[in-house]
């Protein structure tokens, strides 16, 4: 089911709200510098995505934690919604742990990942009793030191690097021997010895593995589960009876091409593919999805500033840019782009355009070589599938504010993150005269 759809007249809708009407409503409500662009979320899509995971996981005999990866999108209202639906929290920093606690996540289902954790972060994680994914030999030493400091036993999982190639963008491969994450299985005995030596500080409760992101070949997840469950069996037999968690990471891709007959694997397909590799019913399975929960649940709504041509090349210049959607610039990622209303241009013929933003940088583009109707100035343009790794990776480059985030629920909408102001952006400056921006 699609929650973003175009009607017969050519207008884009999000659930029961016409995007153009929402643009008009927002313009009445917000000051001019913060009206456009904005992120628009469909609550029904998020709910649907979580339910599909939950339904699929219910078919396994094993208990599970469906951990939502905060880094994909840390909007607080979204976090509360996901917590309410029974998700756990997958965090990668002390501040994300603090956010998870504030959003009401139970520490039993907060997972803490990272290859470079600081002492304050570890002390917090141990004190509140999160599950800590240990990334290296030094990381385990630091966890032990933190446990000593806060006089509390740390619950740890060890992250294995299986050297499996997920064949995705190099920046999204985390389980290759050449990547900075996890440790090769040959290093396990050394770490196990450490755990044995410090029983009051360290409790080994599981193993972890994360291959990468944007994965659509689910056989890779089966490989992960068989590698990790085999290791778990061997580690258990070496005197670690508390080993119960098999954390298979996240990484399921979504269909950025938005094809009618998408063959992107569903959570159900993912779960069915690992079923056979998961032989031990006493294992509690942890999943860490981010993108497949929130990725397709948002669009960036922008306005066309103008259309220009340079020789053969044609550009649509919008008010949205790489500061809101950096994935095209950073990973050459494809995001579907379409008009949110019928074009009123004098000649609305479809042509091939690069869709770019106003940021002073040639790498600032949202889409290349897109065949779209020639839009009029002020026309709405939507960039799809920006729920994951867009607002959370947004920046203030060029002194651009991070824009509003709006949530649609059926026929109603509300702002779930107000747009930043110049005052927000300059709050940490020193030497700024008081009331600097009131006169200009
Ligand atoms: N678990 C671990 C240990 C991770 O490193 C990640 C993502 C996840 C879970 C969640 O993966 P997901 O289900 O969202 O694919 N900025 C990049 C993605 C970076 C992913 C980093 N790790 C992008 O926009 O494609």
């Amino acid at each position: 089911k699609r929650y973003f759809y175009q009607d017969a007249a050519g207008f884009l809708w999000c659930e029961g709200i016409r995007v153009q009407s929402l643009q008009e409503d927002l313009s009445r409500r917000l000051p001019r510098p913060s009206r456009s662009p904005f992120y628009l979320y469909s609550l029904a899509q998020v709910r649907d995505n979580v339910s599909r995971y939950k339904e699929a996981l219910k078919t396994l005999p094993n208990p599970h934690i469906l951990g939502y990866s905060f880094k994909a999108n840390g909007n607080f209202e979204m976090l509360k919604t996901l917590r309410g639906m029974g998700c756990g929290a997958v965090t990668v920093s002390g501040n994300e742990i603090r956010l998870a606690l504030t959003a009401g996540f139970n520490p039993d289902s907060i997972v803490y990942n990272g290859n470079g954790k600081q002492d304050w972060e570890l002390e917090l994680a141990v004190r509140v009793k999160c599950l800590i994914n240990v990334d290296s030999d030094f990381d385990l030493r630091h966890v032990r030191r933190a446990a000593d400091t806060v006089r509390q036993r740390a619950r740890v999982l060890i992250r294995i690097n299986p050297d499996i190639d997920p064949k995705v963008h190099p920046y999204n491969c985390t389980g290759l021997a050449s990547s900075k994450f996890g440790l090769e299985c040959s290093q396990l005995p050394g770490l196990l010895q450490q755990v044995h030596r410090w029983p009051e500080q360290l409790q080994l409760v599981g193993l972890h593995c994360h291959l990468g992101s944007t994965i659509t070949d689910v056989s890779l997840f089966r490989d992960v589960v068989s590698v990790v469950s085999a290791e778990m069996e061997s580690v258990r037999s070496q005197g670690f009876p508390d080993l119960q968690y098999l954390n298979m990471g996240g990484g399921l891709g979504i269909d950025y091409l938005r094809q009618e007959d998408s063959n992107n694997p569903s959570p159900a397909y993912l779960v069915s593919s690992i079923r056979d590799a998961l032989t031990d019913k006493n294992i509690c399975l942890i999943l860490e999805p981010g993108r497949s929960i929130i990725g397709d649940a948002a669009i960036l709504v922008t306005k066309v500033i103008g259309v220009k041509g340079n020789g053969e090349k044609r550009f649509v210049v919008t008010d949205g840019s790489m500061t809101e959607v950096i994935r095209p610039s950073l990973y050459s990622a494809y995001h579907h782009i379409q008009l949110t209303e019928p074009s009123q241009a004098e000649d609305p013929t479809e042509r091939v355009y690069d869709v770019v933003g106003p940021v002073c940088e040639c790498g600032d583009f949202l889409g290349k070589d897109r065949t779209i109707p020639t839009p009029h100035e002020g026309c709405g343009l939507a960039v799809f599938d920006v729920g994951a790794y867009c607002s959370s990776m947004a920046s203030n480059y060029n002194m651009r504010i991070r824009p509003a985030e709006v949530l649609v629920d059926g026929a109603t909408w509300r702002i779930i993150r107000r747009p930043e102001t110049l005052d927000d952006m300059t709050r940490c400056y020193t030497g700024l005269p008081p009331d600097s921006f009131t006169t200009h």
Side-chain angles (χ1 to χ4, degrees):
K1 182 153 189 214
R2 296 271 171 168
Y3 297 101
F4 296 96
Y5 57 93
Q6 200 171 23
D7 66 16
F11 289 97
L12 184 70
W13 290 68
C14 173
E15 301 188 29
I17 303 267
R18 195 164 86 167
V19 173
Q20 194 195 37
S21 322
L22 179 57
Q23 279 178 303
E24 287 162 7
D25 283 351
L26 271 185
S27 290
R28 278 191 285 275
R29 203 175 280 216
L30 296 171
R32 283 174 77 191
S34 52
R35 288 175 186 168
S36 183
F38 59 92
Y39 300 98
L40 182 61
Y41 294 83
S42 156
L43 182 59
Q45 182 72 70
V46 178
R47 290 222 165 102
D48 226 43
N49 294 343
V50 176
S51 305
R52 286 192 298 142
Y53 263 108
K54 285 270 163 199
E55 289 300 313
L57 287 165
K58 262 202 298 209
T59 67
L60 289 177
N62 306 64
H64 67 263
I65 295 175
L66 180 61
Y68 167 68
S69 283
F70 276 28
K71 73 186 111 177
N73 189 314
N75 183 289
F76 196 67
E77 297 285 348
M78 220 40 104
L79 299 182
K80 285 194 295 186
T81 300
L82 293 168
R83 198 249 307 138
M85 294 192 74
C87 290
V90 178
T91 63
V92 289
S93 67
N95 284 342
E96 280 193 355
I97 296 174
R98 293 161 81 189
L99 203 59
L101 294 168
T102 308
F105 285 89
N106 183 337
D108 279 343
S109 62
I110 301 180
V111 179
Y112 177 34
N113 271 310
N115 66 314
K117 309 179 186 84
Q118 297 184 30
D119 286 342
W120 75 267
E121 297 178 299
L122 283 173
E123 285 164 25
L124 170 67
V126 177
R127 185 160 49 77
V128 303
K129 304 196 185 100
C130 301
L131 293 166
I132 303 175
N133 286 336
V134 166
D135 187 82
S136 61
D137 172 58
F138 73 74
D139 200 26
L140 187 66
R141 267 191 287 115
H142 296 177
V143 174
R144 194 253 300 155
R145 194 167 63 198
D148 240 0
T149 306
V150 303
R151 296 176 184 285
Q152 178 82 49
R153 198 171 181 214
R155 300 194 301 153
V156 303
L157 292 80
I158 295 174
R159 176 167 181 170
I160 293 170
N161 181 326
D163 194 18
I164 295 176
D165 187 355
K167 301 205 170 66
V168 292
H169 189 279
Y171 295 177
N172 275 337
C173 296
T174 49
L176 280 174
S178 55
S179 102
K180 67 174 180 174
F181 297 102
L183 40 86
E184 51 191 352
C185 289
S186 65
Q187 290 184 45
L188 257 181
L191 269 80
L192 297 181
Q193 245 177 22
Q194 290 296 312
V195 178
H196 265 319
R197 251 183 75 192
W198 305 97
E200 297 194 350
Q201 287 79 15
L202 302 172
Q203 181 189 21
L204 183 63
V205 295
L207 296 183
H208 175 230
C209 186
H210 172 76
L211 278 190
S213 202
T214 70
I215 296 172
T216 50
D217 174 2
V218 291
S219 72
L220 292 165
F221 294 111
R222 188 183 53 224
D223 296 347
V224 163
V225 170
S226 38
V227 169
V228 181
S229 56
E231 283 299 331
M232 278 181 77
E233 222 173 285
S234 132
V235 173
R236 263 191 191 145
S237 68
Q238 296 170 55
F240 294 93
D242 298 338
L243 212 63
Q244 55 163 321
Y245 295 108
L246 191 165
N247 185 336
M248 60 175 282
L252 186 63
I254 61 169
D255 177 29
Y256 283 105
L257 295 173
R258 301 212 139 233
Q259 289 157 324
E260 277 299 320
D261 53 347
S262 164
N263 52 7
N264 200 76
S266 61
Y269 190 41
L270 173 113
V271 168
S272 71
S273 76
I274 62 167
R275 188 184 315 270
D276 291 344
L278 198 61
T279 44
D280 181 349
K281 315 280 174 282
N282 296 320
I283 280 176
C284 177
L285 184 69
I286 302 180
L287 288 86
E288 305 185 322
R291 190 187 318 269
S292 48
I293 298 282
I294 195 88
D296 62 355
I299 59 175
L300 184 77
V301 181
T302 72
K303 278 194 169 186
V304 173
I305 295 178
V307 177
K308 67 187 268 185
N310 282 338
E312 292 290 280
K313 205 108 196 129
R314 293 171 188 282
F315 298 93
V316 169
V317 184
T318 75
D319 54 15
S321 76
M322 68 187 290
T323 60
E324 296 80 39
V325 182
I326 201 175
R327 303 191 69 259
S329 307
L330 200 52
Y331 319 110
S332 311
Y334 177 93
H335 285 260
H336 177 67
I337 294 175
Q338 79 185 51
L339 275 55
T340 65
E341 59 189 290
S343 171
Q344 292 161 28
E346 244 170 71
D347 174 12
T349 315
E350 286 202 345
R351 292 198 175 83
V352 180
Y353 289 102
D354 279 8
V355 179
V356 302
V359 166
C360 292
E361 171 120 11
C362 282
D364 175 32
F365 59 89
L366 297 167
K368 292 208 157 162
D369 297 324
R370 300 305 174 84
T371 305
I372 50 171
T374 300
H376 56 277
E377 290 184 6
C379 180
L381 205 71
V383 184
F384 281 71
D385 302 308
V386 301
Y389 306 109
C390 291
S391 74
S392 63
M393 294 177 82
S395 81
N396 291 129
Y397 187 38
N398 284 204
M399 286 301 269
R400 289 171 61 82
I401 57 159
R402 276 170 297 180
E405 299 186 23
V406 179
L407 179 71
V408 171
D409 178 7
T412 64
W413 62 269
R414 64 195 169 95
I415 294 178
I416 56 170
R417 187 182 200 271
R418 68 157 174 83
E420 277 176 329
T421 63
L422 184 52
D423 282 316
D424 289 330
M425 282 196 283
T426 54
R427 197 156 51 195
C428 305
Y429 285 17
T430 61
L432 197 70
D435 300 321
S436 295
F437 309 117
T438 47
T439 52
H440 45 258

